[in-house]
Amino acid sequence: MQHSSALNFRDFVDELVRDGDALIIDAEVDAHLEAAAIARRVYESRGPAPVFNRVKGAADGYRLMGAPAGMSGVDAGYGRIATHFGLPRASGPWAIVEHLVAAMSAVPISPRVVESGPVKEHVLTGGEVDLERFGVPTLHQQDGGRYFGTYGMHIVATPDGSWTSWSISRLMLRDSRSLVGPTIPTQHLGMIHRQWATLGKPTPWVFVLGAPPAAIAAAGMPLPERVNEDGYVGALVGEGVEVTKSELHDLMVPANAEIVVEGYIDHTATD
């Protein structure tokens, strides 16, 4: 299993805690507005990122982290962001951007396929699937629902397998077994979804929470069309990301991801 703040989300959290830039909170927090209010205050005050060990409404053992990429009150202020890439905490914005740009012109390093990993430790299928178990938070009072995905990444691939996209867009909980979110035609997720829809098929899809921090950062970047983010992440950190085959599809997922939700994007529903 890979270890580093850039390639392992638990290592990332542990490093932030050691550096005083994250705080473990054992007191129960309510997923309805309270957790989000604390995270918002952290963003505004540049406080340590809160890691809530007990979330009201979540099953035992399910945790929630706020402000994972917020500005910090220690070091240069960009330490939490630099830690995503395994860079020194004192790195400033120029050094971070130079690192990202250099990886764009470097030779991509393909992911390394492994047989299994921590992501396979607990697999729930069929009637065991219940998205409510995660204690999905309500972030703002005027929100139309609870957001399951704000710091996770979609993984989809073209029907011919020539392009795999890792991307970020928000997902809202619809019910215990389904989610809703945008597939905008001009974004990579929407482009690939349209290819599947043209074939009259739903899009094979997975969503990753607790992904390798460098991967989640790259998933939110505007890389060019048909560039595989997994190869860019390899160039960014200097080694291929360990991936393993998902349970439902041929899609490859980070082997040490915390949570992977698998399913399909409906090719007929629009609301």
Side-chain angles (χ1 to χ4, degrees):
M1 181 175 67
Q2 290 177 307
H3 282 288
S4 75
S5 68
L7 291 172
N8 186 303
F9 192 79
R10 294 199 184 195
D11 288 353
F12 169 77
V13 174
D14 289 344
E15 185 169 325
L16 293 184
V17 171
R18 287 195 304 270
D19 292 339
D21 203 17
L23 182 65
I24 303 296
I25 299 174
D26 290 320
E28 185 180 68
V29 63
D30 199 325
H32 181 71
L33 298 178
E34 184 180 22
I38 294 170
R40 177 68 181 183
R41 179 57 179 159
V42 165
Y43 276 117
E44 293 172 347
S45 65
R46 297 194 176 191
V51 180
F52 304 108
N53 276 347
R54 296 176 57 221
V55 180
K56 184 178 180 181
D60 291 342
Y62 287 78
R63 304 198 297 170
L64 182 66
M65 184 179 189
M71 294 293 290
S72 174
V74 296
D75 296 325
Y78 294 86
R80 212 174 299 166
I81 299 170
T83 303
H84 279 70
F85 309 110
L87 296 174
R89 284 195 54 89
S91 301
W94 185 253
I96 294 171
V97 170
E98 281 191 325
H99 183 70
L100 299 177
V101 171
M104 289 181 180
S105 59
V107 177
I109 300 178
S110 299
R112 185 163 66 88
V113 178
V114 296
E115 188 66 26
S116 188
V119 73
K120 300 280 191 177
E121 287 179 6
H122 303 283
V123 178
L124 303 177
T125 61
E128 297 174 305
V129 175
D130 179 10
L131 299 175
E132 297 276 2
R133 72 171 60 237
F134 294 101
V136 183
T138 303
L139 302 178
H140 302 97
Q141 198 164 20
Q142 301 301 319
D143 282 347
R146 294 181 287 162
Y147 281 101
F148 183 87
T150 56
Y151 203 66
M153 69 182 192
H154 303 269
I155 299 180
V156 293
T158 53
D160 64 5
S162 63
W163 177 25
T164 296
S165 170
W166 293 0
S167 66
I168 292 180
S169 63
R170 296 207 295 173
L171 281 177
M172 187 177 285
L173 185 74
R174 183 169 180 262
D175 55 43
S176 64
R177 294 179 60 84
S178 65
L179 301 155
V180 294
T183 54
I184 299 171
T186 54
Q187 295 181 345
H188 296 172
L189 178 64
M191 293 176 186
I192 292 175
H193 176 53
R194 186 167 63 247
Q195 290 189 29
W196 285 94
T198 300
L199 298 175
K201 298 179 179 180
T203 304
W205 163 91
V206 299
F207 189 73
V208 183
L209 292 166
I216 194 67
M221 294 172 59
L223 297 181
E225 182 181 341
R226 304 197 70 84
V227 169
N228 292 351
E229 282 81 6
D230 52 15
Y232 172 71
V233 173
L236 193 60
V237 300
E239 62 179 293
V241 182
E242 289 185 352
V243 296
T244 190
K245 185 178 176 295
S246 64
E247 296 291 312
L248 189 60
H249 311 300
D250 289 329
L251 295 168
M252 307 303 290
V253 301
N256 64 11
E258 292 290 322
I259 298 164
V260 169
V261 178
E262 303 185 29
Y264 294 88
I265 304 175
D266 194 305
H267 60 302
T268 60
T270 57
D271 55 29

